[in-house]
Amino acid sequence: MSLFHFFRRGSAPIARERLKILLAHDRMEYSHPDLLGVLREEILAVIGRHVSFEPDNVRIRLGRCKSTSTLAVDIEIPNGCRQSDVIARPNRLTFDGLVNYMSTKNQWVI
Amino acid sequence: MGGVTDELGRVLVVTSGKGGVGKTTSTAALGAALAHDGQKVVVVDFDVGLRNLDLVMGAERRVVFDLINIINGVAKLSQALIRDKRLENLYLLPASQTRDKDALTENGVAKVIEELRTKFDWVICDSPAGIERGATLAMRYADAAVIVTNPEVSSVRDADRIIGLLDSKTVKAERGEHIDKHLLITRYDSSRAARGGMLSIDDVLEILSCPLLGIIPESKEVLLASNVGSPVTLNNAMSAPARAYFDAAHRLKGKDIPIVVPTGSRGFLKTLFGRKAA
């Protein structure tokens, strides 16, 4: 070991980690460009089996954070539904940045 | 032209996504290296409107007709091909400097490539930067690709994008066939990589998951060669980048030559401590 080794770390590890995260997102988008459209259709089909709502009153957003992405689903339920049918707050699903997505602790708020 | 073989030539695209990483330098160097080894080679400039391969090859004053002229039927292929003055097996098909990239048509490019395949062992297409028409047509009919990247974040990201396009937008990929992909890492500075100031070869290979064709060390010989209009493999065949390109050309022909990570010149600290590069 010489003094030289103390200076070896450098910025390359940072570059490598940034690239890995970025490319995971990039590859997902290229391979599945209409991901949001597909998610919207399938999520609404599932929810529509249990609750009635206007498809126009649905907003789905894919957000990107440093190491994860978020999928926000905001569904407006018309008045006149039974109280227990009402989804009062937007529900969030985390998106792990690759292919799989899973629901978090956030449950339907009734 | 003579030397026509029964077998069709191999179409190779040199591409990168990002500009300025060394596509044209690598096209010229690999083309000259293959021609030097007796292969019949044509290098084709696809950078319509911004042609530079003629300049790097030192043939800029001999351009009469170009790729667009052939596609439009203004000239025959034999009228547009420029024979290299140093190597009789090496030809250049220049791009048009005055037209825009929309002048390239898919059918037109297909016909030119098919004709070149019958006349040459290697048809090396120098892609423009970006992912638009010129770049997608340069790769469209390729059998194999050389993806040029620097050990630097933006060029690695763009290389990843290009690899995705090679696997989806080429004729071979659409037929469900495999397109051979080769990664060429250029401007590699071993002393910076050793200090952790530059992505290492392993980093780039891990991120891109693409077989390595070669590592071209950063060298003043590359600029020197382009200044005088000569592929680096002809201008100074014993220089470090030229030897790396010759090895890469041999690998393209299927020879199994081990890849050695360049150790480069010794830095001040290493010289001081009398150590060899890692």
Side-chain angles (χ1 to χ4, degrees):
Chain A
M1 287 287 282
S2 71
L3 271 177
F4 178 64
H5 288 266
F6 287 102
F7 299 100
R8 280 184 62 146
R9 299 215 164 184
S11 54
I14 302 168
R16 183 179 58 228
E17 292 314 307
R18 287 179 62 219
L19 262 175
K20 279 185 180 174
I21 293 164
L22 179 67
L23 289 182
H25 285 103
D26 281 355
R27 286 168 185 162
M28 181 188 75
E29 281 177 24
Y30 309 145
S31 62
H32 212 146
D34 189 30
L35 181 66
L36 214 51
V38 173
L39 285 177
R40 180 189 166 96
E41 207 168 289
E42 294 188 6
I43 289 170
L44 295 193
V46 170
I47 295 174
R49 287 209 290 270
H50 304 284
V51 191
S52 61
F53 59 86
E54 280 291 318
D56 289 345
N57 295 335
V58 174
R59 276 179 298 162
I60 297 183
R61 289 187 310 275
L62 198 57
R64 186 178 288 181
C65 302
K66 197 173 178 184
S67 60
T68 56
S69 289
T70 58
L71 181 69
V73 182
D74 189 344
I75 303 173
E76 198 177 299
I77 307 294
N79 289 332
C81 293
R82 278 177 29 236
Q83 186 66 25
S84 61
D85 285 341
V86 174
I87 298 166
R89 286 185 212 160
N91 290 270
R92 289 168 74 89
L93 302 168
T94 59
F95 197 86
D96 75 2
L98 291 169
V99 184
N100 304 312
Y101 58 93
M102 48 179 259
S103 61
T104 58
K105 299 171 251 184
N106 296 312
Q107 302 294 321
W108 298 114
V109 180
I110 297 173
Chain B
M1 246 174 279
V4 180
T5 55
D6 292 338
E7 275 186 43
L8 290 177
R10 197 162 164 76
V11 180
L12 184 71
V13 60
V14 179
T15 184
S16 70
K18 191 174 186 301
V21 296
K23 285 181 295 298
T24 302
T25 300
S26 298
T27 301
L30 289 172
L34 287 165
H36 188 265
D37 286 346
Q39 304 277 296
K40 196 160 182 225
V41 180
V42 60
V43 288
V44 185
D45 194 345
F46 271 80
D47 205 345
V48 176
L50 290 169
R51 76 169 177 225
N52 278 316
L53 187 56
D54 54 333
L55 199 52
V56 171
M57 299 283 291
E60 70 276 12
R61 295 171 67 177
R62 299 167 62 206
V63 175
V64 181
F65 295 111
D66 56 53
L67 178 60
I68 303 292
N69 294 145
I70 303 170
I71 288 175
N72 291 343
V74 173
K76 287 186 207 156
L77 186 58
S78 56
Q79 293 175 292
L81 286 170
I82 302 169
R83 187 181 209 155
D84 189 85
K85 285 188 168 168
R86 295 147 297 210
L87 290 173
E88 61 173 18
N89 289 339
L90 180 60
Y91 289 78
L92 163 70
L93 180 54
S96 169
Q97 182 69 345
T98 51
R99 306 296 291 269
D100 65 55
K101 60 186 184 302
D102 295 334
L104 284 176
T105 62
E106 186 160 335
N107 286 341
V109 171
K111 278 172 70 178
V112 174
I113 296 283
E114 283 320 301
E115 194 175 349
L116 290 172
R117 263 186 211 274
T118 64
K119 293 181 161 61
F120 292 92
D121 300 317
W122 292 88
V123 179
I124 307 182
C125 305
D126 182 22
S127 173
I131 54 171
E132 290 182 33
R133 192 179 187 82
T136 52
L137 282 177
M139 71 169 65
R140 182 80 185 135
Y141 302 97
D143 302 308
V146 171
I147 301 125
V148 183
T149 188
N150 298 158
E152 172 274 328
V153 286
S154 57
S155 83
V156 173
R157 182 194 199 178
D158 292 358
D160 189 75
R161 181 81 167 104
I162 283 292
I163 289 170
L165 291 178
L166 287 164
D167 285 333
S168 60
K169 303 284 186 196
T170 53
V171 169
K172 271 203 142 186
E174 286 175 3
R175 284 188 194 138
E177 294 170 28
H178 176 76
I179 178 159
D180 286 330
K181 295 183 292 292
H182 309 275
L183 190 67
L184 188 67
I185 300 177
T186 55
R187 305 200 70 167
Y188 181 73
D189 183 333
S190 55
S191 55
R192 289 187 74 180
R195 288 196 300 270
M198 181 181 253
L199 287 170
S200 70
I201 300 299
D202 286 343
D203 290 341
V204 178
L205 292 180
E206 185 195 340
I207 290 164
L208 292 178
S209 308
C210 182
L212 184 61
L213 180 69
I215 305 160
I216 313 300
E218 171 80 57
S219 167
K220 61 181 188 216
E221 290 291 336
V222 173
L223 181 60
L224 186 64
S226 77
N227 282 346
V228 298
S230 173
V232 68
T233 39
L234 296 185
N235 196 52
N236 182 356
M238 292 313 291
S239 64
R243 281 181 289 151
Y245 276 120
F246 270 112
D247 282 353
H250 285 132
R251 291 184 196 109
L252 279 176
K253 289 198 294 179
K255 285 192 187 162
D256 186 17
I257 300 172
I259 293 180
V260 180
V261 178
T263 51
S265 57
R266 304 172 99 200
F268 167 72
L269 277 172
K270 279 181 274 182
T271 308
L272 194 68
F273 287 99
R275 298 181 64 91
K276 286 188 176 170

